[in-house]
Amino acid sequence: MKNIIAFFFVFILPASFADWIETTDPLVVTAFPVHQAEIKQNPPQFRWPQPARIPTGYEVQLLSGRGINYSFNVMRNWLLPSQLFPADTYSWRVRTKDAGAVWSDWRQFTLAANADVFLVPENALLLSRLKAKSRPKSLPIHSAGVDDWRLKINTERTNSVSSLKNNVDLQIQSPILKDTDIPLIASSVDSSAWAASQANIRNRAEAESRQLRNSALLWQITRNPNYFSEAIRRGNALVALDLKGSTSYKNQDQATRAIAWALVQSIDLLASDLPAVTRIAWLNNAKTRTWEIYRDLANYNWRLDQTPFDSHGSTNLGYVAAISTLLVGDAPEADIWFRDTFRAYAQYINPFGGEEGGFANGSAYAEYSADFYLQLWDPIAIASGISFYDKPWSKGMLSYFAYFLPPGSPSHVFGDGAETKPYFPLMKAYASRFNTPLAAWYYRNLIGDESASTLLSAPLPLPIESAATALPSINSYYFPTIGWAAMHSELADRNRTSLYFKSSPYGSFNHSHGDQNTFTLVDQGRPILVDSGIYDWYGSAHWHQWYRHTKAHNGITFDGGQGQITHDTNASTLAKGQITQYQFADKIDMVEGDAMQAYGGQLSQALRRIWYLRDQNLIVVWDKLKSPVARQFEWNLHANEAFDLSLPKQYVLPNQGKPICINTVWPELTNAVQTSGYDVPPEMKSIPPVWHLRVSSSLMLEQQFVHIINLNCLIKPSYSFDFDQSKLILDSKEINF
């Protein structure tokens, strides 16, 4: 009978859903797993939107293809089972525990045999494990004891010990941080000055917190009393800061979490050596600050459960999970924090990407997030035995870094901070926590060393130390849930050509831009076609009026630079793109994006298809555009050097004596205009030069653009274009639109 029931649920599921866990609000969590998903994590995790009236709990039913029925009761609108499941096809549904509640529709998913195991025991077992662990809980001290760990650290990581000593010694003579050093300027007085004061408070608080934590770590490694004294001095200085002042959670959340985390880590690292009076003062201060973060996260029935797209909130959730992990057994509050945040963080991690990895908020913010992960995940794993590096998303993040920030990349990709240089030691450190050939290749080809602060408290040995290196066999990669694609001539070659394309369902929300269906190009380590503008600060005039706009990117605008929706409201989450086709092969890659929705109804069609002909180092860009009213459509490019426009329908970048040619194949009549600078300059004293090329034609209801980007002007390909047949003959290759 069970098999008959399973057959019914698996094969007679509705094709679409209009039940109570469907939502049209773009900021609200969507039901997961979606219908017919292939799940990469075992056990799978489940989430769904809360109803308008918050219930007392939920019942989740899970039915396997073999007819096995599982039932779970949870208090919040997510489920992370604490058991593994056999590979199979499953169906799931959920209902509230209110009287007369109706079930959601069934949704089906497949759990593969090779799914990554990420098993988080129930809170009771984890709490028991943590309370039985002696301090320091955050260091990888095994049964051989702390003396054995010190010996290994001082012999196997000698250079890092010396580096950390130098860093701490340089700061020992500096004065302690005081409230008068970090005044908060009200945004109502001067928004630019407010942003600067926010950065100053964050940076100074983080620096003081880092000095505290590093001094405590060096005391544990060296037993040098100078480092013990420095830790006490810095910790007392942080405790002396006004809890309601500029470092409070209300005024600067990044500062308050940094201070709380440093105090808690140092309590753990100094262990029984810390005087009782000092320990109590530090603990009370850390508890006060953590309560502030916890209460904010708990607002609106755990606000991230319902509206997860909060970059600060997601990081703060990780901080509370880490703080509570180290404080369990020392403070009754820590049990509460742990029960409410640890498993929530384990099933959450980051809302800006799916299980395959990726970070829709831009690679610069992915780098910043990796910094937090290294600070939080190692002590969590060492103390609790739960490694967040084991999650499929975390493993996919490694592929994201390897393909979008490969060794030698001159800049970041898409979103806020895209123009900045990557700090590769962070990505190298992240890669070192994995034991895979890709991680080994990436790690061993990056320049720079991991921060001594994180390396000296990292696992011994690191997973990367036993990983075999192999050259990447795939030169292109696609992340469907974030709508990013990377196409390389040869990933393993530092002199590679790299073409990056984006058409993202995350729209222009938060740190993302109105850049759906846009691309950037890097050749031989030099940025060729770039995202223009400078990230002076979040919310500046330049950010609002240039940096985030489509006109600042290599995309389509119309009627004098009008483009996609970028104002930071719900509308920005609806300004979506989507990669609708992708084909990766040895000699030619193709990606197609649909950005119509991103233009907010102003266009009725916005398709872009890009081919990368790897063997010829040629790029073909085709755009098909429609509008309800006649418009002057515009094709935009941006570069760090001036275009030579001396030839008709050909635009040449000198590229240090290796010229790159961009040819307009269609339309026949065009107008090319080059400008420099910005409509609204950034708040920077020194602004690097940038040039903008805009190619347009006459007013049209419909328009197609066809361009060929030739990375080597000295070798001129022959081509012919048949508009009626929508066909480009390029040397011996036929490209159909």
Side-chain angles (χ1 to χ4, degrees), residues 597-611:
Q597 188 175 340
Y599 290 91
Q602 298 176 97
L603 301 185
S604 54
Q605 187 174 50
L607 287 179
R608 168 167 280 181
R609 195 177 293 172
I610 290 187
W611 291 263

Side-chain angles (χ1 to χ4, degrees), residues 118 377 380-381 384-391 433:
F118 180 66
W377 291 1
I380 286 176
S384 70
I386 307 301
S387 174
F388 291 142
Y389 297 106
D390 290 339
K391 282 186 72 70
R433 272 50 171 186

Side-chain angles (χ1 to χ4, degrees), residues 52-84:
R53 179 180 177 182
I54 303 302
T56 57
Y58 304 89
E59 180 183 358
V60 180
Q61 190 176 56
L62 181 64
L63 185 65
S64 77
R66 297 181 177 87
I68 302 174
N69 199 347
Y70 306 85
S71 183
F72 304 90
N73 290 291
V74 292
M75 297 297 294
R76 290 160 66 176
N77 59 318
W78 53 266
L79 164 67
L80 180 61
S82 55
Q83 65 184 84
L84 297 177

Side-chain angles (χ1 to χ4, degrees), residues 503-560:
S503 194
S504 176
Y506 284 84
S508 55
F509 179 69
N510 199 230
H511 294 293
S512 294
H513 292 187
D515 56 357
Q516 317 319 322
N517 276 15
T518 71
F519 65 93
T520 61
L521 177 64
V522 174
D523 186 54
Q524 299 185 52
R526 293 190 296 274
I528 306 299
L529 299 173
V530 302
D531 289 332
S532 69
I534 297 171
Y535 189 31
D536 47 1
W537 55 277
Y538 188 90
S540 74
H542 176 71
W543 185 87
H544 271 298
Q545 298 178 52
W546 177 271
Y547 189 55
R548 305 184 69 230
H549 286 259
T550 314
K551 63 185 177 183
H553 302 82
N554 302 311
I556 297 295
T557 59
F558 55 87
D559 297 344

Side-chain angles (χ1 to χ4, degrees), residues 20-48:
W20 71 269
I21 63 171
E22 282 294 308
T23 179
T24 57
D25 188 336
L27 295 178
V28 167
V29 66
T30 56
F32 182 86
V34 299
H35 185 43
Q36 296 185 338
E38 294 183 5
I39 299 302
K40 300 178 181 294
Q41 177 178 300
N42 191 1
Q45 53 194 50
F46 304 83
R47 64 182 75 95
W48 55 91

